[in-house]
Amino acid sequence: MPYLTAAVVFVGALSALNLVLALAMVKRLREHSGLLTGRRGAPSADLEVGTRIAEFETVTEAGESLTRASLTEDLLVAFFSPGCAPCVEKLPAFVAHTRSLPGGRRGVLAVVVGEPREAAAFAAPLGPFAQVVVEEPNGALSRAFGVHSYPTLLRIGPDAEGRPVVTSNAVDLKRPTAMAA
């Protein structure tokens, strides 16, 4: 009988230890989730700095022709999708950030990827502050930039040969415009 009592006490102690460790792990996972969702300035794309933009040809919502050759200046580029919760969350900060950019809408390219009707409604608030392109998944700009996840925020600029390349894949919308790089 004493062996049975000792075994029950041992199993009870082991179960209590397991419960304490499981609760500690849940707490730690919640902390990590909070850190990951609150990251600022972290890379938002799989694109590395220095990645060249491939050839493309498309038309903005304002009817302007847009090609790789027309990307001759530094440009903030954002890829959004209307069905993406982080995109919906980031859109107001993006619009606020673009309002203060020195180049105005010529220095910003917003690409909204999705079903045309939903994408057009999502793109409407961007029109006054950015050159807006609405395209279906795997459209010309998505292929040219190699973007497959949303939201993706990039800065591009000409390389030594004048071709557009990714100059930053970690755009922080909270940083003051004058300091943004």
Side-chain angles (χ1 to χ4, degrees), residues 8-63:
V8 169
V9 169
F10 177 72
V11 168
L14 195 58
S15 296
L17 177 64
N18 186 32
L19 177 63
V20 168
L21 291 175
L23 290 174
M25 188 169 49
V26 167
K27 180 182 175 192
R28 187 76 171 157
L29 286 172
R30 284 185 179 159
E31 289 172 1
H32 278 253
S33 293
L35 290 172
L36 289 173
T37 58
R39 285 179 11 179
R40 298 286 182 244
S44 65
D46 296 332
L47 299 171
E48 294 183 20
V49 171
T51 301
R52 289 188 177 158
I53 309 306
E55 291 287 339
F56 68 89
E57 188 174 331
T58 190
V59 177
T60 68
E61 289 293 288

Side-chain angles (χ1 to χ4, degrees), residues 61-62 95 98-99 103-106 108 123-132:
E61 289 293 288
V95 169
T98 59
R99 284 183 193 164
R105 70 182 298 276
R106 299 298 306 163
V108 182
L126 295 166
F129 310 106
Q131 301 172 75
V132 180

Side-chain angles (χ1 to χ4, degrees), residues 93-153:
F94 179 77
V95 169
H97 183 75
T98 59
R99 284 183 193 164
S100 63
L101 289 175
R105 70 182 298 276
R106 299 298 306 163
V108 182
L109 173 61
V111 183
V112 181
V113 179
E115 188 273 319
R117 189 175 314 135
E118 287 180 353
F122 191 89
L126 295 166
F129 310 106
Q131 301 172 75
V132 180
V133 174
V134 173
E135 66 179 24
E136 294 197 15
N138 204 27
L141 286 168
S142 296
R143 285 191 317 272
F145 281 80
V147 172
H148 305 289
S149 60
Y150 309 100
T152 294
L153 301 172

